[in-house]
Amino acid sequence: MMTELPVDQVRTLLAVVDEGTFDAAAAALHVTPSAVSQRIKTLEQRIGRVLLMRTKPVRPTASGQVVVRFARQLAALDQDAQRELGITGESGPARLSIAVNADSLATWFLPALTRVPRMSEVCFELYREDETQTAELLREGRVMAAVTSSPAAVTGCLVRPLGLARYLPAASPDFVDRHRTGPLRRWLPGAPVIVFDQHDELQDRFVRSLARADAARHRHSVPTSEGFRDAVAAGLGWGLVPEPQARPLLESGALVELDPGRHWDVPLYWQQWKLDVRALSLVADTITSAAAEALHPLPS
Amino acid sequence: MMTELPVDQVRTLLAVVDEGTFDAAAAALHVTPSAVSQRIKTLEQRIGRVLLMRTKPVRPTASGQVVVRFARQLAALDQDAQRELGITGESGPARLSIAVNADSLATWFLPALTRVPRMSEVCFELYREDETQTAELLREGRVMAAVTSSPAAVTGCLVRPLGLARYLPAASPDFVDRHRTGPLRRWLPGAPVIVFDQHDELQDRFVRSLARADAARHRHSVPTSEGFRDAVAAGLGWGLVPEPQARPLLESGALVELDPGRHWDVPLYWQQWKLDVRALSLVADTITSAAAEALHPLPS
């Protein structure tokens, strides 16, 4: 029968993953590189699996990710207990690592964070990832919580629905004048388009919902939420713009809707470690209630 | 003596790197996975070096990166020649991949891009990276050009100075009221701070220029340029805000300068492949002249 995982070895694994190399981990832990190497080997033998790929930087294997997640949860619980016991010392404020998609970060998420009570006890470590990828960071144990489009709970996590993020197909008025010929489904597949990055399929999916085609190969990728909006407003291409960013530009006439009343909705969920850490619960409550105001309701 | 590198093998290597796996590359090239594997092996034997780490996704070794860069340059020249010959066919508009730091992208870079003449012949593929990391993407052959803080030319690249990006140490007025006690060098090292991400050392360096200390460990990381500015304005911490983003908020009173007149400058350079590709030259000229207007002059 297996007893508990040895905490010093688990923490060493985490240090190696966070620092990227055995040498850097050794420096951070104030031990020799060979001690680090020995602890990892012992842990791998005990678990009976390879935990690290010896690349530069090192990367945890699938089994390694489980141990990394465990190590981070351990650290969070430890910090939480120390804080409750009034031991401040080394630990400082609670570190909350959260993965968020760029459009949420640019619209409703940051104002929501500022409403979290007792901010002085919390440090936010935000990671920006596509909403289809944020759950992966949770799985890898890199973050404690994520805004994600995936309703399927990551192992060890609980899920709460947030709402629908609405996107409006839009372009600048002069872009429409230059490219419009006949109905939308005829001209849109050939018109220059803005995408967020190479993985962004939103625009292709929208065009497929109109016609048997993807969006044009003449595409610019602009990997920031505000840059995307600005590129559409500057007439470089059309794109699906988050509703809160589109509204003021539609009102000022800088953008026009390509198909008024038509929109594209992306469901968003909050997933977090099933862990009784006080700061994390406070944030989860604040975020979910802010999302309920900022997003459209999910169909039940 | 070594003759030319076999172009089909070089292109296959590029496809494997871009698609991430041998199977995906095989599908993209319409050949069998074993043909892909055979071509890579033959190329590795010919060059006498391992070119790919067989991770998931695969990653080029240092030697592999040289071949990848060669493959991309080859593709760019081929496209350029075809366009000049009036052969449109498969190639479509020229793809220009450029790495840009987030603050440039959020301020002067995108308006500059919209001024590039003959936009209909160009597709921009922008990558967002820290200005200390963008040169690495150039070295790996992932981009053709970069806005970087490094004046040392990457192999095969030419460098043009762009100017100084200016940052102002700032916070919200109520944040200053809450934390100010005595001179700046006394209270700033202990006050909550906003950083862009874990690699952002700008705030630490600024504090070190005032006192024998880093910025506080109570730090929030907000990895978007606009999010960073909004977090500072919301009073979550102080931070070095890009001057063009700070100005309107200083005028409206949403931000105050921590040390009026004091600033932090980051030199920026344009680096690009030494390659006679017409679209790339047009973009370089537009970007450098826009930067001359938007940034402060570099000390000569």
Side-chain angles (χ1 to χ4, degrees), chain B residues 186-242:
Chain B
R186 295 283 295 282
W187 67 269
L188 200 64
V193 60
I194 314 290
V195 298
F196 189 81
D197 58 22
Q198 275 87 314
H199 307 294
D200 177 11
E201 295 185 347
L202 224 50
Q203 282 65 224
D204 284 324
R205 280 195 226 136
F206 179 73
V207 173
R208 265 180 253 141
S209 77
L210 294 174
R212 288 169 189 273
D214 282 352
R217 290 186 56 209
H218 190 184
R219 53 182 63 194
H220 306 293
S221 61
V222 184
T224 68
S225 191
E226 294 82 0
F228 183 98
R229 173 202 61 197
D230 293 347
V232 173
L236 296 192
W238 69 277
L240 286 160
V241 182

Side-chain angles (χ1 to χ4, degrees), chain A residues 20-101:
Chain A
T21 64
F22 282 60
D23 286 356
L29 296 171
H30 307 291
V31 298
T32 63
S34 74
V36 168
S37 172
Q38 192 53 50
R39 285 186 200 167
I40 301 296
K41 261 187 228 149
T42 312
L43 187 61
E44 288 183 325
Q45 280 163 1
R46 183 187 188 98
I47 297 180
R49 308 253 176 88
V50 175
L51 299 174
L52 289 178
M53 290 184 275
R54 269 69 171 180
T55 47
K56 270 206 173 178
V58 300
R59 291 164 62 198
T61 62
S63 302
Q65 290 176 7
V66 176
V67 182
V68 166
R69 197 169 63 213
F70 168 67
R72 287 203 207 281
Q73 293 182 333
L74 195 71
L77 285 176
D78 184 274
Q79 273 200 352
D80 206 45
Q82 290 205 28
R83 206 162 301 105
E84 208 164 326
L85 291 167
I87 312 167
T88 49
E90 274 299 285
S91 67
R95 307 196 73 76
L96 294 183
S97 48
I98 308 174
V100 192
N101 63 310

Side-chain angles (χ1 to χ4, degrees), chain B residues 136-154:
Chain B
E136 188 54 33
L137 295 192
L138 207 53
R139 199 167 293 121
E140 289 173 8
R142 275 182 52 202
V143 297
M144 298 175 165
V147 174
T148 168
S149 59
S150 165
V154 170

Side-chain angles (χ1 to χ4, degrees), chain B residues 237-261:
Chain B
W238 69 277
L240 286 160
V241 182
E243 188 182 41
Q245 296 186 321
R247 283 280 168 237
L249 296 177
L250 291 169
E251 277 160 27
S252 74
L255 284 183
V256 290
E257 284 188 76
L258 296 180
D259 194 357

Side-chain angles (χ1 to χ4, degrees), chain A residues 117-164:
Chain A
R118 300 178 178 258
M119 279 292 296
S120 62
E121 299 173 13
V122 188
C123 286
F124 292 111
E125 220 169 75
L126 303 184
Y127 292 83
R128 196 198 69 148
E129 270 295 345
D130 192 84
E131 66 273 14
T132 59
Q133 301 299 313
T134 45
E136 188 54 32
L137 295 191
L138 207 53
R139 198 168 293 121
E140 290 172 7
R142 276 183 50 204
V143 297
M144 298 174 165
V147 173
T148 167
S149 60
S150 165
V154 170
T155 317
C157 290
L158 55 85
V159 188
R160 288 161 79 167
L162 291 175
L164 294 173

Side-chain angles (χ1 to χ4, degrees), chain A residues 53 55-57 59 89-93 95 102 105-106 110 113-114 119-128 196 198 217-224 226-231 234 236, chain B residues 53 55-57 59 89-93 95 102 105-106 110 113-114 119-128 196 198 217-224 226-231 234 236:
Chain A
M53 290 184 275
T55 47
K56 270 206 173 178
R59 291 164 62 198
E90 274 299 285
S91 67
R95 307 196 73 76
L105 194 50
L110 208 65
L113 270 199
T114 64
M119 279 292 296
S120 62
E121 299 173 13
V122 188
C123 286
F124 292 111
E125 220 169 75
L126 303 184
Y127 292 83
R128 196 198 69 148
F196 188 81
Q198 275 87 315
R217 291 186 55 206
H218 190 183
R219 53 182 64 192
H220 306 293
S221 59
V222 183
T224 67
E226 295 80 1
F228 183 99
R229 172 203 62 197
D230 293 347
L236 296 191
Chain B
M53 291 183 275
T55 47
K56 272 209 169 177
R59 293 165 60 198
E90 275 297 286
S91 67
R95 307 196 73 76
L105 194 50
L110 208 65
L113 270 199
T114 63
M119 279 290 298
S120 61
E121 298 172 15
V122 188
C123 286
F124 292 110
E125 220 168 75
L126 304 184
Y127 291 82
R128 195 197 69 146
F196 189 81
Q198 275 87 314
R217 290 186 56 209
H218 190 184
R219 53 182 63 194
H220 306 293
S221 61
V222 184
T224 68
E226 294 82 0
F228 183 98
R229 173 202 61 197
D230 293 347
L236 296 192

